[in-house]
Amino acid sequence: MLLSLNCLELGRTSNEVITMCIGKYSEINGVRVNSDVLTVANFKKLLLDEKELQGLTKMDIWKVELDLKSFKDTIYSEDEIKKMGTMMEPAYVLKEYFNDDKKPKTNYIHIFIVPTETSTEVKDISDDIVKELVKPPSKLPDKTSIRNFLNQKPDVKIPLSPANFSLMHTKGNGCISEEERDTYFEKSTKKDCTGLFTKLIGRLIFPSSVGKNEDSFHGFWDDIIKNTILTLGKGVVGLETMAFDRNTNKKTSTGRNRPDLVILVRNICPFRGEEKAENSTADVSKELTDKFKEWTYGDAPYLFAYYAIGQIVTFVLLTESESKNIWSNNKRTRPEVKSETLGDFNLRELSERLRAMNLLRNILNLCPARDTPDFLTLRRENGTIVELGYHVKKIFKEERSVVHLKEIYATLSQNNVRFTDKLEHCSSHSVHLEPRGLQRKPEDLNELLRALICILTCLKEMHNIKPKPILHRDVRWPNIVLHNDKFILIDFDYATFGSERKGVVKKPLKNFSETGHAPETLTSRHNKKVDIWGVGHLIDSCYIENKPKQLKEFASKCQDKKPKNRPTASNALKDIINIFMEYLPESSWLNQVGIA
């Protein structure tokens, strides 16, 4: 070996020295070159072949003489290198810089590598990479698979300039392994994520310093948790209105118990945190669940949260206890919210901060835009205000509207009528109904038949209530929602009780529109058959392909001009079940929903 040269790239520390050994011959572009004539330009080609310099296309190299013992973890700037070194000219023979009186000393840095700009403009693709990093799954993971999902590595790597890439130290204290670095990042001179590095990656590498009290940790927690969610969240459609707050109880289901940090998405809080200084002895995990006044998230399978004690952070899954519907002395018991640990992170270490970034990235993957807003207020022509959240709140002008609904829903409950929403609680002028469900029409024959079976089962049980049956009178798709693979009938504002003998209602509903309602509902006395007319109209107003002939005939029979010629709910249900079994003979859905 004629020369052993310790080389270091600009922006790296002495822990990342590259040692180049030059023998009698070196191979350049398939040609053996004698070391006596090996030029600086030839030597650069050898450097570009090194794995550690992958991504570099052009460079200047500077001869220096720096003692490694005094060098330690110092990172020199380009100006400092130019002041202390000599630029090596490409056409010169390499040995001329290291002849007898200039031999390279052992345990010294001999060459600094300074990447230079190429003729190709480096493009900042931060926005494109963020969109690739955050992609919602086709199906929401259940609780048994959520941990594996949250630990999935990204499909795309973040390209960084050589200078920024070199800050991911892989040797020394507090460093990450090459495997960890290469899981998330790649070095590139053609594309870059300068914006993402400035907003997020740099703050993960160099987070805010901390003190002893809780306030001194806010900057540190925000650099890693809040900033990751804010930066990567912009890649998710529907999170544009994401907002952060501290020590608030707005839209968090915690009443006056305030979480330390909340993230609000369209006025809903799917993520929250409890934070304490590292000398705290509080049970922070218990605080997360104890602060819940009620679970107002309907059928949401879980929420995400974290609790931090200093630089140790634990991410958890919050779920509603199965005992949510237990009643005692006619009062609903306080709901229990369970906390399940997803992972512990020691955020003193860069490796753990990157792992936390990846988990938060996957959490954001589970926050896609919904078909309808999570929180919406509607004002009806009759003055009723409807607030849509994870449950439904209706506010009425008159108390009698609430009294009416209390009586209707109490009767439904006492008679165990299935496939309806439930009245959870009420005040003098408002009612709270659950679940909200998803409001959309069936998309194929399978869904249409399921919907008809659910609604006819509901009508059959309503119409058979003794002594007075309940008539819904407004059976339309806007009043049917999908919930847990079942279609349920909602909006009983215009429901009423029929007479004891024949289930007749004498007073017509003149303020109804003619579209979507049986003709007699608007003009004269009517009975349970108005709901059957509505079922027929459901079929006609659901625009799917290839409706069976017998289904079309069934719809016509349900909408016969003479109410007495329409089938009862019981007979109509039998007809639809027969059609369902004919077209979907292998389906187990009827057993699953208890209609066998």
Side-chain angles (χ1 to χ4, degrees):
M1 180 173 65
L2 300 178
L3 282 175
S4 177
L5 301 174
N6 291 327
C7 308
L8 189 63
E9 185 182 1
L10 172 69
R12 299 197 182 194
T13 67
S14 58
N15 293 319
E16 298 173 280
V17 166
I18 302 168
T19 301
M20 299 293 293
C21 299
I22 307 299
K24 187 174 181 180
Y25 295 97
S26 299
E27 188 171 303
I28 307 294
N29 294 335
V31 178
R32 293 181 73 200
V33 179
N34 191 299
S35 59
D36 290 334
V37 294
L38 186 75
T39 64
V40 171
N42 294 148
F43 181 68
K44 286 183 180 181
K45 285 187 174 292
L46 293 176
L47 284 171
L48 290 173
D49 289 336
E50 292 298 306
K51 178 183 176 183
E52 292 85 350
L53 298 176
Q54 187 178 3
L56 275 184
T57 56
K58 287 188 178 182
M59 66 177 76
D60 288 334
I61 58 176
W62 296 71
K63 181 188 175 185
V64 295
E65 196 172 87
L66 287 173
D67 188 348
L68 281 169
K69 293 180 181 178
S70 60
F71 191 92
K72 293 184 179 179
D73 289 331
T74 305
I75 296 179
Y76 286 98
S77 67
E78 186 173 349
D79 288 340
E80 290 173 323
I81 292 169
K82 290 178 179 179
K83 287 179 182 177
M84 70 175 74
T86 301
M87 184 174 174
M88 301 173 68
E89 296 294 337
Y92 283 28
V93 174
L94 182 69
K95 284 181 64 175
E96 291 185 13
Y97 288 95
F98 301 99
N99 54 27
D100 292 340
D101 60 334
K102 301 174 185 176
K103 280 188 176 182
K105 297 180 181 179
T106 57
N107 300 323
Y108 272 67
I109 297 293
H110 308 119
I111 291 176
F112 256 113
I113 301 165
V114 179
T116 58
E117 291 187 11
T118 64
S119 58
T120 303
E121 182 182 354
V122 178
K123 183 181 179 182
D124 187 342
I125 59 170
S126 294
D127 290 343
D128 294 334
I129 289 294
V130 167
K131 291 176 183 176
E132 289 295 318
L133 287 171
V134 187
K135 286 187 173 181
S138 58
K139 183 180 179 182
L140 193 69
D142 58 27
K143 287 188 286 186
T144 60
S145 60
I146 187 66
R147 286 172 180 79
N148 289 335
F149 177 84
L150 293 177
N151 288 317
Q152 287 179 359
K153 299 299 188 290
D155 294 329
V156 62
K157 295 182 181 182
I158 301 171
L160 298 177
S161 68
N164 288 337
F165 188 82
S166 68
L167 296 176
M168 296 287 176
H169 299 154
T170 57
K171 296 178 182 178
N173 294 331
C175 294
I176 60 174
S177 68
E178 289 187 10
E179 181 182 358
E180 288 175 311
R181 179 195 65 191
D182 296 342
T183 295
Y184 304 109
F185 309 102
E186 63 180 357
K187 182 166 60 174
S188 175
T189 56
K190 295 183 179 180
K191 54 186 178 179
D192 187 22
C193 285
T194 300
L196 190 57
F197 185 89
T198 302
K199 294 176 182 177
L200 176 60
I201 309 303
R203 291 170 70 174
L204 292 175
I205 300 173
F206 306 110
S208 300
S209 58
V210 299
K212 293 185 177 181
N213 60 34
E214 182 178 322
D215 287 347
S216 72
F217 282 87
H218 285 166
F220 178 84
W221 293 324
D222 287 352
D223 281 341
I224 299 161
I225 299 173
K226 172 184 172 181
N227 189 51
T228 297
I229 294 173
L230 185 64
T231 304
L232 297 183
K234 70 178 184 178
V236 182
V237 176
L239 296 189
E240 297 89 348
T241 60
M242 182 165 50
F244 294 81
D245 209 343
R246 286 191 179 276
N247 296 309
T248 182
N249 56 21
K250 295 185 296 184
K251 308 294 182 186
T252 63
S253 299
T254 60
R256 294 184 179 180
N257 300 315
R258 297 167 179 258
D260 288 325
L261 179 138
V262 297
I263 295 173
L264 300 175
V265 182
R266 298 185 301 282
N267 291 320
I268 298 297
C269 177
F271 191 83
R272 66 198 69 210
E274 291 293 335
E275 303 162 335
K276 295 289 183 287
E278 59 187 358
N279 58 356
S280 173
T281 59
D283 188 345
V284 195
S285 173
K286 194 169 184 294
E287 280 191 29
L288 268 177
T289 55
D290 284 353
K291 285 185 176 181
F292 269 84
K293 182 180 179 183
E294 61 178 327
W295 181 275
T296 61
Y297 299 94
D299 59 339
Y302 42 70
L303 302 176
F304 296 101
Y306 73 92
Y307 57 88
I309 302 179
Q311 292 170 302
I312 307 299
V313 173
T314 300
F315 290 93
V316 300
L317 200 69
L318 299 178
T319 58
E320 186 180 19
S321 170
E322 294 179 358
S323 62
K324 63 179 180 179
N325 288 323
I326 293 177
W327 291 72
S328 177
N329 296 327
N330 294 322
K331 291 185 178 180
R332 195 182 186 199
T333 59
R334 183 179 180 275
E336 293 183 9
V337 177
K338 296 187 297 182
S339 169
E340 300 177 28
T341 299
L342 293 171
D344 299 306
F345 298 78
N346 180 359
L347 299 185
R348 297 184 184 93
E349 304 294 332
L350 175 58
S351 172
E352 294 286 274
R353 296 196 290 272
L354 292 176
R355 195 163 69 92
M357 173 196 73
N358 188 58
L359 182 136
L360 290 167
R361 176 188 69 85
N362 283 320
I363 286 177
L364 286 167
N365 282 331
L366 302 179
C367 298
R370 292 172 177 260
D371 292 334
T372 54
D374 278 341
F375 190 85
L376 183 66
T377 299
L378 306 174
R379 297 179 183 274
R380 293 180 173 172
E381 292 181 2
N382 61 3
T384 301
I385 298 173
V386 182
E387 294 181 353
L388 300 175
Y390 277 97
H391 64 278
V392 178
K393 180 181 180 180
K394 290 184 178 181
I395 304 170
F396 299 96
K397 283 186 174 182
E398 299 180 356
E399 290 186 34
R400 64 180 181 180
S401 298
V402 174
V403 173
H404 167 72
L405 284 178
K406 284 175 64 178
E407 186 178 8
I408 291 290
Y409 278 104
T411 304
L412 293 173
S413 178
Q414 290 163 8
N415 288 274
N416 299 314
V417 176
R418 293 172 288 173
F419 305 113
T420 73
D421 57 351
K422 312 296 180 186
L423 193 154
E424 292 297 315
H425 56 89
C426 60
S427 63
S428 61
H429 284 80
S430 68
V431 295
H432 290 251
L433 304 163
E434 292 186 6
R436 173 181 171 180
L438 177 63
Q439 193 169 61
R440 68 166 175 82
K441 291 183 179 181
E443 297 176 348
D444 54 32
L445 178 62
N446 184 356
E447 284 195 343
L448 176 56
L449 292 174
R450 290 185 184 196
L452 295 173
I453 289 171
C454 289
I455 300 308
L456 281 168
T457 300
C458 174
L459 295 177
K460 170 188 171 183
E461 294 172 356
M462 284 169 46
H463 292 175
N464 288 339
I465 293 174
K466 304 296 184 183
K468 294 182 178 182
I470 292 179
L471 286 64
H472 187 277
R473 302 197 294 178
D474 199 12
V475 178
R476 299 178 296 121
W477 287 120
N479 295 330
I480 296 171
V481 296
L482 179 62
H483 174 67
N484 285 349
D485 205 30
K486 303 172 187 177
F487 288 86
I488 63 175
L489 187 60
I490 63 170
D491 211 341
F492 283 78
D493 295 18
Y494 295 103
T496 189
F497 293 96
S499 64
E500 291 188 19
R501 288 190 60 194
K502 296 184 179 181
V504 172
V505 178
K506 295 181 179 180
K507 189 176 181 181
L509 283 168
K510 295 183 179 180
N511 56 337
F512 266 20
S513 67
E514 293 183 6
T515 304
H517 299 95
E520 68 270 20
T521 312
L522 287 65
T523 59
S524 62
R525 52 189 286 163
H526 48 274
N527 59 22
K528 296 176 283 187
K529 297 297 183 70
V530 297
D531 290 341
I532 302 303
W533 189 98
V535 171
H537 185 70
L538 291 178
I539 298 170
D540 288 346
S541 59
C542 183
Y543 305 109
I544 63 170
E545 295 180 354
N546 303 319
K547 286 180 189 173
K549 179 181 178 182
Q550 58 263 57
L551 189 59
K552 295 178 181 178
E553 292 174 350
F554 173 83
S556 297
K557 184 168 62 173
C558 288
Q559 297 173 90
D560 195 291
K561 291 181 179 180
K562 295 181 179 180
K564 67 178 182 179
N565 292 337
R566 300 170 196 162
T568 63
S570 297
N571 289 334
L573 177 60
K574 292 176 184 178
D575 291 343
I576 290 297
I577 289 177
N578 288 335
I579 296 174
F580 180 86
M581 295 178 69
E582 178 181 348
Y583 283 87
L584 300 161
E586 304 298 323
S587 175
S588 61
W589 177 81
L590 289 172
N591 287 321
Q592 292 171 7
V593 295
I595 308 174

